[in-house]
PDB file of all heavy atoms in Angstrom:
ATOM      1  N   PRO A   1      -7.856  -1.416  82.789  1.00  0.00           N
ATOM      2  CA  PRO A   1      -7.110  -2.550  83.341  1.00  0.00           C
ATOM      3  C   PRO A   1      -7.265  -3.814  82.502  1.00  0.00           C
ATOM      4  O   PRO A   1      -8.299  -4.026  81.884  1.00  0.00           O
ATOM      5  CB  PRO A   1      -7.743  -2.750  84.735  1.00  0.00           C
ATOM      6  CG  PRO A   1      -9.097  -2.203  84.602  1.00  0.00           C
ATOM      7  CD  PRO A   1      -9.049  -1.101  83.562  1.00  0.00           C
ATOM      8  N   ARG A   2      -6.217  -4.608  82.446  1.00  0.00           N
ATOM      9  CA  ARG A   2      -6.323  -5.890  81.713  1.00  0.00           C
ATOM     10  C   ARG A   2      -6.967  -6.960  82.579  1.00  0.00           C
ATOM     11  O   ARG A   2      -7.139  -6.777  83.789  1.00  0.00           O
ATOM     12  CB  ARG A   2      -4.888  -6.334  81.347  1.00  0.00           C
ATOM     13  CG  ARG A   2      -3.976  -6.619  82.485  1.00  0.00           C
ATOM     14  CD  ARG A   2      -2.623  -7.081  81.995  1.00  0.00           C
ATOM     15  NE  ARG A   2      -1.604  -7.196  83.069  1.00  0.00           N
ATOM     16  CZ  ARG A   2      -0.443  -7.787  82.942  1.00  0.00           C
ATOM     17  NH1 ARG A   2      -0.083  -8.314  81.812  1.00  0.00           N
ATOM     18  NH2 ARG A   2       0.400  -7.840  83.977  1.00  0.00           N
ATOM     19  N   ARG A   3      -7.390  -8.051  81.959  1.00  0.00           N
ATOM     20  CA  ARG A   3      -7.930  -9.250  82.615  1.00  0.00           C
ATOM     21  C   ARG A   3      -9.263  -8.999  83.260  1.00  0.00           C
ATOM     22  O   ARG A   3      -9.703  -9.788  84.110  1.00  0.00           O
ATOM     23  CB  ARG A   3      -6.934  -9.828  83.625  1.00  0.00           C
ATOM     24  CG  ARG A   3      -5.622 -10.283  82.987  1.00  0.00           C
ATOM     25  CD  ARG A   3      -4.655 -10.860  84.010  1.00  0.00           C
ATOM     26  NE  ARG A   3      -3.381 -11.182  83.364  1.00  0.00           N
ATOM     27  CZ  ARG A   3      -2.264 -11.408  84.037  1.00  0.00           C
ATOM     28  NH1 ARG A   3      -2.223 -11.259  85.349  1.00  0.00           N
ATOM     29  NH2 ARG A   3      -1.150 -11.750  83.430  1.00  0.00           N
ATOM     30  N   TYR A   4      -9.940  -7.930  82.939  1.00  0.00           N
ATOM     31  CA  TYR A   4     -11.279  -7.704  83.454  1.00  0.00           C
ATOM     32  C   TYR A   4     -12.286  -8.385  82.563  1.00  0.00           C
ATOM     33  O   TYR A   4     -12.196  -8.244  81.333  1.00  0.00           O
ATOM     34  CB  TYR A   4     -11.586  -6.214  83.591  1.00  0.00           C
ATOM     35  CG  TYR A   4     -11.147  -5.523  84.863  1.00  0.00           C
ATOM     36  CD1 TYR A   4      -9.940  -5.870  85.444  1.00  0.00           C
ATOM     37  CD2 TYR A   4     -11.922  -4.614  85.525  1.00  0.00           C
ATOM     38  CE1 TYR A   4      -9.464  -5.306  86.625  1.00  0.00           C
ATOM     39  CE2 TYR A   4     -11.502  -4.014  86.710  1.00  0.00           C
ATOM     40  CZ  TYR A   4     -10.270  -4.362  87.240  1.00  0.00           C
ATOM     41  OH  TYR A   4      -9.871  -3.793  88.387  1.00  0.00           O
ATOM     42  N   TYR A   5     -13.248  -9.046  83.162  1.00  0.00           N
ATOM     43  CA  TYR A   5     -14.315  -9.762  82.452  1.00  0.00           C
ATOM     44  C   TYR A   5     -15.220  -8.844  81.685  1.00  0.00           C
ATOM     45  O   TYR A   5     -15.673  -9.079  80.560  1.00  0.00           O
ATOM     46  CB  TYR A   5     -15.041 -10.644  83.401  1.00  0.00           C
ATOM     47  CG  TYR A   5     -16.317 -11.287  82.874  1.00  0.00           C
ATOM     48  CD1 TYR A   5     -16.259 -12.376  82.012  1.00  0.00           C
ATOM     49  CD2 TYR A   5     -17.582 -10.824  83.236  1.00  0.00           C
ATOM     50  CE1 TYR A   5     -17.410 -12.975  81.565  1.00  0.00           C
ATOM     51  CE2 TYR A   5     -18.746 -11.384  82.766  1.00  0.00           C
ATOM     52  CZ  TYR A   5     -18.642 -12.472  81.909  1.00  0.00           C
ATOM     53  OH  TYR A   5     -19.775 -13.099  81.461  1.00  0.00           O
ATOM     54  N   SER A   6     -15.564  -7.686  82.345  1.00  0.00           N
ATOM     55  CA  SER A   6     -16.514  -6.719  81.751  1.00  0.00           C
ATOM     56  C   SER A   6     -16.236  -5.344  82.253  1.00  0.00           C
ATOM     57  O   SER A   6     -15.801  -5.181  83.415  1.00  0.00           O
ATOM     58  CB  SER A   6     -17.953  -7.175  82.122  1.00  0.00           C
ATOM     59  OG  SER A   6     -18.871  -6.172  81.688  1.00  0.00           O
ATOM     60  N   PHE A   7     -16.493  -4.368  81.433  1.00  0.00           N
ATOM     61  CA  PHE A   7     -16.335  -2.954  81.856  1.00  0.00           C
ATOM     62  C   PHE A   7     -17.665  -2.218  81.956  1.00  0.00           C
ATOM     63  O   PHE A   7     -17.693  -1.010  82.055  1.00  0.00           O
ATOM     64  CB  PHE A   7     -15.424  -2.231  80.839  1.00  0.00           C
ATOM     65  CG  PHE A   7     -13.996  -2.807  80.767  1.00  0.00           C
ATOM     66  CD1 PHE A   7     -13.618  -3.557  79.675  1.00  0.00           C
ATOM     67  CD2 PHE A   7     -13.099  -2.558  81.808  1.00  0.00           C
ATOM     68  CE1 PHE A   7     -12.304  -4.054  79.643  1.00  0.00           C
ATOM     69  CE2 PHE A   7     -11.852  -3.085  81.752  1.00  0.00           C
ATOM     70  CZ  PHE A   7     -11.433  -3.847  80.684  1.00  0.00           C
ATOM     71  N   ASP A   8     -18.760  -3.008  81.972  1.00  0.00           N
ATOM     72  CA  ASP A   8     -20.090  -2.405  81.974  1.00  0.00           C
ATOM     73  C   ASP A   8     -20.295  -1.477  83.173  1.00  0.00           C
ATOM     74  O   ASP A   8     -21.001  -0.453  83.045  1.00  0.00           O
ATOM     75  CB  ASP A   8     -21.158  -3.517  81.981  1.00  0.00           C
ATOM     76  CG  ASP A   8     -21.238  -4.204  80.641  1.00  0.00           C
ATOM     77  OD1 ASP A   8     -20.639  -3.667  79.671  1.00  0.00           O
ATOM     78  OD2 ASP A   8     -21.924  -5.262  80.548  1.00  0.00           O
ATOM     79  N   THR A   9     -19.761  -1.847  84.300  1.00  0.00           N
ATOM     80  CA  THR A   9     -20.002  -1.096  85.503  1.00  0.00           C
ATOM     81  C   THR A   9     -19.008   0.068  85.724  1.00  0.00           C
ATOM     82  O   THR A   9     -19.084   0.772  86.716  1.00  0.00           O
ATOM     83  CB  THR A   9     -19.966  -2.000  86.759  1.00  0.00           C
ATOM     84  OG1 THR A   9     -18.714  -2.659  86.769  1.00  0.00           O
ATOM     85  CG2 THR A   9     -21.065  -3.032  86.713  1.00  0.00           C
ATOM     86  N   PHE A  10     -18.080   0.230  84.769  1.00  0.00           N
ATOM     87  CA  PHE A  10     -17.069   1.283  84.900  1.00  0.00           C
ATOM     88  C   PHE A  10     -17.423   2.415  83.908  1.00  0.00           C
ATOM     89  O   PHE A  10     -17.174   2.301  82.699  1.00  0.00           O
ATOM     90  CB  PHE A  10     -15.682   0.761  84.591  1.00  0.00           C
ATOM     91  CG  PHE A  10     -15.249  -0.295  85.620  1.00  0.00           C
ATOM     92  CD1 PHE A  10     -15.462  -1.624  85.380  1.00  0.00           C
ATOM     93  CD2 PHE A  10     -14.601   0.076  86.755  1.00  0.00           C
ATOM     94  CE1 PHE A  10     -15.056  -2.589  86.290  1.00  0.00           C
ATOM     95  CE2 PHE A  10     -14.143  -0.892  87.697  1.00  0.00           C
ATOM     96  CZ  PHE A  10     -14.404  -2.220  87.441  1.00  0.00           C
ATOM     97  N   GLN A  11     -17.940   3.490  84.443  1.00  0.00           N
ATOM     98  CA  GLN A  11     -18.350   4.589  83.602  1.00  0.00           C
ATOM     99  C   GLN A  11     -17.148   5.174  82.849  1.00  0.00           C
ATOM    100  O   GLN A  11     -17.257   5.568  81.648  1.00  0.00           O
ATOM    101  CB  GLN A  11     -18.992   5.703  84.447  1.00  0.00           C
ATOM    102  CG  GLN A  11     -20.007   6.538  83.662  1.00  0.00           C
ATOM    103  CD  GLN A  11     -20.831   7.384  84.601  1.00  0.00           C
ATOM    104  OE1 GLN A  11     -20.545   7.479  85.798  1.00  0.00           O
ATOM    105  NE2 GLN A  11     -21.925   7.967  84.076  1.00  0.00           N
ATOM    106  N   ALA A  12     -15.978   5.206  83.472  1.00  0.00           N
ATOM    107  CA  ALA A  12     -14.810   5.775  82.871  1.00  0.00           C
ATOM    108  C   ALA A  12     -14.343   5.031  81.609  1.00  0.00           C
ATOM    109  O   ALA A  12     -13.676   5.604  80.709  1.00  0.00           O
ATOM    110  CB  ALA A  12     -13.633   5.856  83.881  1.00  0.00           C
ATOM    111  N   PHE A  13     -14.658   3.717  81.536  1.00  0.00           N
ATOM    112  CA  PHE A  13     -14.149   2.905  80.433  1.00  0.00           C
ATOM    113  C   PHE A  13     -15.173   2.597  79.370  1.00  0.00           C
ATOM    114  O   PHE A  13     -14.850   1.949  78.371  1.00  0.00           O
ATOM    115  CB  PHE A  13     -13.588   1.580  81.001  1.00  0.00           C
ATOM    116  CG  PHE A  13     -12.540   1.776  82.116  1.00  0.00           C
ATOM    117  CD1 PHE A  13     -12.537   0.972  83.236  1.00  0.00           C
ATOM    118  CD2 PHE A  13     -11.603   2.792  81.982  1.00  0.00           C
ATOM    119  CE1 PHE A  13     -11.594   1.155  84.205  1.00  0.00           C
ATOM    120  CE2 PHE A  13     -10.662   2.948  82.965  1.00  0.00           C
ATOM    121  CZ  PHE A  13     -10.636   2.126  84.090  1.00  0.00           C
ATOM    122  N   ASN A  14     -16.433   3.007  79.571  1.00  0.00           N
ATOM    123  CA  ASN A  14     -17.481   2.736  78.570  1.00  0.00           C
ATOM    124  C   ASN A  14     -17.193   3.435  77.259  1.00  0.00           C
ATOM    125  O   ASN A  14     -17.684   3.034  76.204  1.00  0.00           O
ATOM    126  CB  ASN A  14     -18.832   3.175  79.095  1.00  0.00           C
ATOM    127  CG  ASN A  14     -19.363   2.202  80.161  1.00  0.00           C
ATOM    128  OD1 ASN A  14     -18.865   1.113  80.290  1.00  0.00           O
ATOM    129  ND2 ASN A  14     -20.369   2.658  80.892  1.00  0.00           N
ATOM    130  N   GLN A  15     -16.376   4.511  77.307  1.00  0.00           N
ATOM    131  CA  GLN A  15     -16.090   5.246  76.054  1.00  0.00           C
ATOM    132  C   GLN A  15     -15.273   4.397  75.093  1.00  0.00           C
ATOM    133  O   GLN A  15     -15.150   4.763  73.900  1.00  0.00           O
ATOM    134  CB  GLN A  15     -15.286   6.498  76.421  1.00  0.00           C
ATOM    135  CG  GLN A  15     -13.975   6.195  77.136  1.00  0.00           C
ATOM    136  CD  GLN A  15     -13.248   7.442  77.595  1.00  0.00           C
ATOM    137  OE1 GLN A  15     -12.943   8.314  76.774  1.00  0.00           O
ATOM    138  NE2 GLN A  15     -12.955   7.533  78.883  1.00  0.00           N
ATOM    139  N   PHE A  16     -14.733   3.237  75.551  1.00  0.00           N
ATOM    140  CA  PHE A  16     -13.885   2.424  74.657  1.00  0.00           C
ATOM    141  C   PHE A  16     -14.696   1.253  74.077  1.00  0.00           C
ATOM    142  O   PHE A  16     -14.108   0.311  73.544  1.00  0.00           O
ATOM    143  CB  PHE A  16     -12.682   1.875  75.431  1.00  0.00           C
ATOM    144  CG  PHE A  16     -11.730   2.958  75.855  1.00  0.00           C
ATOM    145  CD1 PHE A  16     -11.604   3.341  77.179  1.00  0.00           C
ATOM    146  CD2 PHE A  16     -10.960   3.604  74.910  1.00  0.00           C
ATOM    147  CE1 PHE A  16     -10.700   4.344  77.551  1.00  0.00           C
ATOM    148  CE2 PHE A  16     -10.079   4.632  75.254  1.00  0.00           C
ATOM    149  CZ  PHE A  16      -9.964   5.002  76.604  1.00  0.00           C
ATOM    150  N   ASP A  17     -16.028   1.271  74.220  1.00  0.00           N
ATOM    151  CA  ASP A  17     -16.829   0.160  73.668  1.00  0.00           C
ATOM    152  C   ASP A  17     -16.598  -0.024  72.201  1.00  0.00           C
ATOM    153  O   ASP A  17     -16.368  -1.184  71.735  1.00  0.00           O
ATOM    154  CB  ASP A  17     -18.308   0.444  73.949  1.00  0.00           C
ATOM    155  CG  ASP A  17     -18.713   0.192  75.393  1.00  0.00           C
ATOM    156  OD1 ASP A  17     -17.835  -0.284  76.161  1.00  0.00           O
ATOM    157  OD2 ASP A  17     -19.875   0.516  75.792  1.00  0.00           O
ATOM    158  N   THR A  18     -16.624   1.070  71.425  1.00  0.00           N
ATOM    159  CA  THR A  18     -16.456   0.918  69.979  1.00  0.00           C
ATOM    160  C   THR A  18     -15.019   0.446  69.665  1.00  0.00           C
ATOM    161  O   THR A  18     -14.797  -0.382  68.791  1.00  0.00           O
ATOM    162  CB  THR A  18     -16.689   2.309  69.319  1.00  0.00           C
ATOM    163  OG1 THR A  18     -18.013   2.736  69.638  1.00  0.00           O
ATOM    164  CG2 THR A  18     -16.546   2.175  67.781  1.00  0.00           C
ATOM    165  N   MET A  19     -14.046   0.960  70.384  1.00  0.00           N
ATOM    166  CA  MET A  19     -12.641   0.530  70.184  1.00  0.00           C
ATOM    167  C   MET A  19     -12.498  -0.977  70.434  1.00  0.00           C
ATOM    168  O   MET A  19     -11.825  -1.684  69.685  1.00  0.00           O
ATOM    169  CB  MET A  19     -11.686   1.365  71.024  1.00  0.00           C
ATOM    170  CG  MET A  19     -10.217   1.075  70.763  1.00  0.00           C
ATOM    171  SD  MET A  19      -9.113   2.062  71.755  1.00  0.00           S
ATOM    172  CE  MET A  19      -9.266   3.698  70.930  1.00  0.00           C
ATOM    173  N   ASN A  20     -13.167  -1.457  71.514  1.00  0.00           N
ATOM    174  CA  ASN A  20     -13.092  -2.855  71.827  1.00  0.00           C
ATOM    175  C   ASN A  20     -13.716  -3.717  70.705  1.00  0.00           C
ATOM    176  O   ASN A  20     -13.255  -4.804  70.407  1.00  0.00           O
ATOM    177  CB  ASN A  20     -13.801  -3.130  73.135  1.00  0.00           C
ATOM    178  CG  ASN A  20     -12.839  -3.031  74.349  1.00  0.00           C
ATOM    179  OD1 ASN A  20     -11.675  -3.317  74.228  1.00  0.00           O
ATOM    180  ND2 ASN A  20     -13.364  -2.564  75.469  1.00  0.00           N
ATOM    181  N   GLN A  21     -14.793  -3.183  70.130  1.00  0.00           N
ATOM    182  CA  GLN A  21     -15.442  -3.893  69.018  1.00  0.00           C
ATOM    183  C   GLN A  21     -14.514  -3.960  67.782  1.00  0.00           C
ATOM    184  O   GLN A  21     -14.364  -5.004  67.134  1.00  0.00           O
ATOM    185  CB  GLN A  21     -16.752  -3.220  68.621  1.00  0.00           C
ATOM    186  CG  GLN A  21     -17.803  -3.376  69.713  1.00  0.00           C
ATOM    187  CD  GLN A  21     -19.040  -2.551  69.425  1.00  0.00           C
ATOM    188  OE1 GLN A  21     -19.161  -1.905  68.373  1.00  0.00           O
ATOM    189  NE2 GLN A  21     -19.987  -2.497  70.385  1.00  0.00           N
ATOM    190  N   VAL A  22     -13.849  -2.837  67.484  1.00  0.00           N
ATOM    191  CA  VAL A  22     -12.885  -2.816  66.350  1.00  0.00           C
ATOM    192  C   VAL A  22     -11.723  -3.816  66.605  1.00  0.00           C
ATOM    193  O   VAL A  22     -11.346  -4.581  65.694  1.00  0.00           O
ATOM    194  CB  VAL A  22     -12.346  -1.399  66.129  1.00  0.00           C
ATOM    195  CG1 VAL A  22     -11.204  -1.418  65.153  1.00  0.00           C
ATOM    196  CG2 VAL A  22     -13.463  -0.450  65.673  1.00  0.00           C
ATOM    197  N   ILE A  23     -11.194  -3.789  67.829  1.00  0.00           N
ATOM    198  CA  ILE A  23     -10.115  -4.721  68.161  1.00  0.00           C
ATOM    199  C   ILE A  23     -10.579  -6.166  68.014  1.00  0.00           C
ATOM    200  O   ILE A  23      -9.823  -6.995  67.426  1.00  0.00           O
ATOM    201  CB  ILE A  23      -9.633  -4.473  69.617  1.00  0.00           C
ATOM    202  CG1 ILE A  23      -8.906  -3.111  69.720  1.00  0.00           C
ATOM    203  CG2 ILE A  23      -8.682  -5.589  70.090  1.00  0.00           C
ATOM    204  CD1 ILE A  23      -8.634  -2.693  71.128  1.00  0.00           C
ATOM    205  N   THR A  24     -11.786  -6.450  68.474  1.00  0.00           N
ATOM    206  CA  THR A  24     -12.286  -7.834  68.406  1.00  0.00           C
ATOM    207  C   THR A  24     -12.457  -8.255  66.968  1.00  0.00           C
ATOM    208  O   THR A  24     -12.128  -9.423  66.602  1.00  0.00           O
ATOM    209  CB  THR A  24     -13.605  -7.919  69.180  1.00  0.00           C
ATOM    210  OG1 THR A  24     -13.356  -7.634  70.554  1.00  0.00           O
ATOM    211  CG2 THR A  24     -14.183  -9.343  69.084  1.00  0.00           C
ATOM    212  N   ILE A  25     -13.019  -7.415  66.109  1.00  0.00           N
ATOM    213  CA  ILE A  25     -13.216  -7.784  64.716  1.00  0.00           C
ATOM    214  C   ILE A  25     -11.899  -8.006  64.056  1.00  0.00           C
ATOM    215  O   ILE A  25     -11.688  -8.969  63.286  1.00  0.00           O
ATOM    216  CB  ILE A  25     -14.059  -6.659  63.986  1.00  0.00           C
ATOM    217  CG1 ILE A  25     -15.476  -6.655  64.510  1.00  0.00           C
ATOM    218  CG2 ILE A  25     -14.041  -6.864  62.495  1.00  0.00           C
ATOM    219  CD1 ILE A  25     -16.284  -5.425  64.113  1.00  0.00           C
ATOM    220  N   ALA A  26     -10.935  -7.113  64.320  1.00  0.00           N
ATOM    221  CA  ALA A  26      -9.567  -7.287  63.718  1.00  0.00           C
ATOM    222  C   ALA A  26      -8.943  -8.596  64.191  1.00  0.00           C
ATOM    223  O   ALA A  26      -8.297  -9.302  63.392  1.00  0.00           O
ATOM    224  CB  ALA A  26      -8.691  -6.110  64.121  1.00  0.00           C
ATOM    225  N   ALA A  27      -9.134  -8.969  65.484  1.00  0.00           N
ATOM    226  CA  ALA A  27      -8.623 -10.214  65.991  1.00  0.00           C
ATOM    227  C   ALA A  27      -9.224 -11.386  65.300  1.00  0.00           C
ATOM    228  O   ALA A  27      -8.552 -12.405  64.973  1.00  0.00           O
ATOM    229  CB  ALA A  27      -8.845 -10.266  67.501  1.00  0.00           C
ATOM    230  N   ILE A  28     -10.536 -11.348  65.067  1.00  0.00           N
ATOM    231  CA  ILE A  28     -11.217 -12.452  64.353  1.00  0.00           C
ATOM    232  C   ILE A  28     -10.671 -12.619  62.970  1.00  0.00           C
ATOM    233  O   ILE A  28     -10.376 -13.762  62.491  1.00  0.00           O
ATOM    234  CB  ILE A  28     -12.721 -12.219  64.387  1.00  0.00           C
ATOM    235  CG1 ILE A  28     -13.290 -12.331  65.797  1.00  0.00           C
ATOM    236  CG2 ILE A  28     -13.436 -13.249  63.476  1.00  0.00           C
ATOM    237  CD1 ILE A  28     -14.724 -11.860  65.933  1.00  0.00           C
ATOM    238  N   VAL A  29     -10.519 -11.479  62.239  1.00  0.00           N
ATOM    239  CA  VAL A  29      -9.959 -11.546  60.903  1.00  0.00           C
ATOM    240  C   VAL A  29      -8.543 -12.079  60.905  1.00  0.00           C
ATOM    241  O   VAL A  29      -8.183 -12.961  60.053  1.00  0.00           O
ATOM    242  CB  VAL A  29      -9.988 -10.140  60.252  1.00  0.00           C
ATOM    243  CG1 VAL A  29      -9.287 -10.177  58.890  1.00  0.00           C
ATOM    244  CG2 VAL A  29     -11.421  -9.622  60.088  1.00  0.00           C
ATOM    245  N   ALA A  30      -7.734 -11.629  61.853  1.00  0.00           N
ATOM    246  CA  ALA A  30      -6.351 -12.167  61.966  1.00  0.00           C
ATOM    247  C   ALA A  30      -6.326 -13.656  62.235  1.00  0.00           C
ATOM    248  O   ALA A  30      -5.535 -14.376  61.658  1.00  0.00           O
ATOM    249  CB  ALA A  30      -5.605 -11.421  63.127  1.00  0.00           C
ATOM    250  N   PHE A  31      -7.240 -14.126  63.079  1.00  0.00           N
ATOM    251  CA  PHE A  31      -7.312 -15.571  63.389  1.00  0.00           C
ATOM    252  C   PHE A  31      -7.643 -16.373  62.148  1.00  0.00           C
ATOM    253  O   PHE A  31      -6.911 -17.345  61.822  1.00  0.00           O
ATOM    254  CB  PHE A  31      -8.374 -15.789  64.460  1.00  0.00           C
ATOM    255  CG  PHE A  31      -8.647 -17.221  64.798  1.00  0.00           C
ATOM    256  CD1 PHE A  31      -7.696 -17.983  65.488  1.00  0.00           C
ATOM    257  CD2 PHE A  31      -9.795 -17.856  64.399  1.00  0.00           C
ATOM    258  CE1 PHE A  31      -7.909 -19.325  65.798  1.00  0.00           C
ATOM    259  CE2 PHE A  31     -10.041 -19.182  64.695  1.00  0.00           C
ATOM    260  CZ  PHE A  31      -9.098 -19.943  65.382  1.00  0.00           C
ATOM    261  N   PHE A  32      -8.622 -15.939  61.372  1.00  0.00           N
ATOM    262  CA  PHE A  32      -8.974 -16.719  60.180  1.00  0.00           C
ATOM    263  C   PHE A  32      -7.977 -16.610  59.060  1.00  0.00           C
ATOM    264  O   PHE A  32      -7.824 -17.500  58.246  1.00  0.00           O
ATOM    265  CB  PHE A  32     -10.399 -16.326  59.724  1.00  0.00           C
ATOM    266  CG  PHE A  32     -11.463 -16.934  60.585  1.00  0.00           C
ATOM    267  CD1 PHE A  32     -12.160 -16.131  61.456  1.00  0.00           C
ATOM    268  CD2 PHE A  32     -11.739 -18.289  60.542  1.00  0.00           C
ATOM    269  CE1 PHE A  32     -13.168 -16.681  62.284  1.00  0.00           C
ATOM    270  CE2 PHE A  32     -12.734 -18.862  61.338  1.00  0.00           C
ATOM    271  CZ  PHE A  32     -13.420 -18.050  62.249  1.00  0.00           C
ATOM    272  N   LEU A  33      -7.182 -15.488  59.051  1.00  0.00           N
ATOM    273  CA  LEU A  33      -6.119 -15.369  58.102  1.00  0.00           C
ATOM    274  C   LEU A  33      -5.053 -16.471  58.316  1.00  0.00           C
ATOM    275  O   LEU A  33      -4.388 -16.864  57.362  1.00  0.00           O
ATOM    276  CB  LEU A  33      -5.465 -14.007  58.192  1.00  0.00           C
ATOM    277  CG  LEU A  33      -6.100 -12.908  57.342  1.00  0.00           C
ATOM    278  CD1 LEU A  33      -5.571 -11.504  57.787  1.00  0.00           C
ATOM    279  CD2 LEU A  33      -5.792 -13.104  55.863  1.00  0.00           C
ATOM    280  N   GLN A  34      -4.892 -16.915  59.546  1.00  0.00           N
ATOM    281  CA  GLN A  34      -3.868 -17.907  59.820  1.00  0.00           C
ATOM    282  C   GLN A  34      -4.263 -19.270  59.163  1.00  0.00           C
ATOM    283  O   GLN A  34      -3.373 -20.110  58.930  1.00  0.00           O
ATOM    284  CB  GLN A  34      -3.652 -18.099  61.330  1.00  0.00           C
ATOM    285  CG  GLN A  34      -3.275 -16.839  62.073  1.00  0.00           C
ATOM    286  CD  GLN A  34      -2.343 -15.943  61.272  1.00  0.00           C
ATOM    287  OE1 GLN A  34      -1.220 -16.342  60.879  1.00  0.00           O
ATOM    288  NE2 GLN A  34      -2.766 -14.688  61.003  1.00  0.00           N
ATOM    289  N   PHE A  35      -5.519 -19.435  58.869  1.00  0.00           N
ATOM    290  CA  PHE A  35      -5.904 -20.677  58.175  1.00  0.00           C
ATOM    291  C   PHE A  35      -5.458 -20.642  56.691  1.00  0.00           C
ATOM    292  O   PHE A  35      -5.322 -21.665  56.072  1.00  0.00           O
ATOM    293  CB  PHE A  35      -7.423 -20.883  58.265  1.00  0.00           C
ATOM    294  CG  PHE A  35      -7.841 -21.392  59.622  1.00  0.00           C
ATOM    295  CD1 PHE A  35      -8.250 -20.497  60.592  1.00  0.00           C
ATOM    296  CD2 PHE A  35      -7.768 -22.741  59.980  1.00  0.00           C
ATOM    297  CE1 PHE A  35      -8.588 -20.933  61.883  1.00  0.00           C
ATOM    298  CE2 PHE A  35      -8.085 -23.195  61.203  1.00  0.00           C
ATOM    299  CZ  PHE A  35      -8.509 -22.283  62.190  1.00  0.00           C
ATOM    300  N   VAL A  36      -5.228 -19.431  56.143  1.00  0.00           N
ATOM    301  CA  VAL A  36      -4.626 -19.348  54.827  1.00  0.00           C
ATOM    302  C   VAL A  36      -3.266 -19.969  54.887  1.00  0.00           C
ATOM    303  O   VAL A  36      -2.840 -20.753  54.010  1.00  0.00           O
ATOM    304  CB  VAL A  36      -4.538 -17.869  54.365  1.00  0.00           C
ATOM    305  CG1 VAL A  36      -3.749 -17.756  53.046  1.00  0.00           C
ATOM    306  CG2 VAL A  36      -5.925 -17.245  54.259  1.00  0.00           C
ATOM    307  N   PHE A  37      -2.484 -19.612  55.948  1.00  0.00           N
ATOM    308  CA  PHE A  37      -1.156 -20.236  56.139  1.00  0.00           C
ATOM    309  C   PHE A  37      -1.234 -21.727  56.343  1.00  0.00           C
ATOM    310  O   PHE A  37      -0.490 -22.522  55.760  1.00  0.00           O
ATOM    311  CB  PHE A  37      -0.431 -19.557  57.331  1.00  0.00           C
ATOM    312  CG  PHE A  37       0.734 -20.338  57.837  1.00  0.00           C
ATOM    313  CD1 PHE A  37       1.932 -20.322  57.168  1.00  0.00           C
ATOM    314  CD2 PHE A  37       0.629 -21.146  58.982  1.00  0.00           C
ATOM    315  CE1 PHE A  37       3.032 -21.064  57.596  1.00  0.00           C
ATOM    316  CE2 PHE A  37       1.736 -21.891  59.424  1.00  0.00           C
ATOM    317  CZ  PHE A  37       2.920 -21.838  58.746  1.00  0.00           C
ATOM    318  N   ILE A  38      -2.179 -22.166  57.236  1.00  0.00           N
ATOM    319  CA  ILE A  38      -2.266 -23.586  57.589  1.00  0.00           C
ATOM    320  C   ILE A  38      -2.613 -24.420  56.350  1.00  0.00           C
ATOM    321  O   ILE A  38      -2.039 -25.496  56.093  1.00  0.00           O
ATOM    322  CB  ILE A  38      -3.305 -23.793  58.717  1.00  0.00           C
ATOM    323  CG1 ILE A  38      -2.745 -23.199  60.040  1.00  0.00           C
ATOM    324  CG2 ILE A  38      -3.641 -25.276  58.899  1.00  0.00           C
ATOM    325  CD1 ILE A  38      -3.777 -23.041  61.112  1.00  0.00           C
ATOM    326  N   ILE A  39      -3.564 -23.920  55.532  1.00  0.00           N
ATOM    327  CA  ILE A  39      -3.959 -24.638  54.288  1.00  0.00           C
ATOM    328  C   ILE A  39      -2.776 -24.691  53.365  1.00  0.00           C
ATOM    329  O   ILE A  39      -2.412 -25.723  52.768  1.00  0.00           O
ATOM    330  CB  ILE A  39      -5.140 -23.954  53.649  1.00  0.00           C
ATOM    331  CG1 ILE A  39      -6.419 -24.159  54.503  1.00  0.00           C
ATOM    332  CG2 ILE A  39      -5.397 -24.501  52.232  1.00  0.00           C
ATOM    333  CD1 ILE A  39      -7.558 -23.257  54.144  1.00  0.00           C
TER     334      ILE A  39
END
């Protein structure tokens, strides 16, 4: 589900921990890439 603060208590969704980390790292890289455009 979207808009959940944490999935720690949901056993069914813990399998996506690594995927969530990959998504987050990609989002951070995408964010800082926009400063290339801004500069």
Side-chain angles (χ1 to χ4, degrees):
R2 61 178 174 170
R3 298 179 183 164
Y4 273 40
Y5 169 76
S6 172
F7 297 106
D8 288 348
T9 56
F10 296 91
Q11 207 167 11
F13 305 139
N14 287 344
Q15 60 185 303
F16 294 109
D17 285 353
T18 302
M19 187 178 284
N20 271 327
Q21 291 171 7
V22 170
I23 291 171
T24 299
I25 291 168
I28 292 169
V29 174
F31 175 72
F32 284 106
L33 272 166
Q34 304 321 302
F35 285 94
V36 174
F37 164 77
I38 291 167
I39 291 166

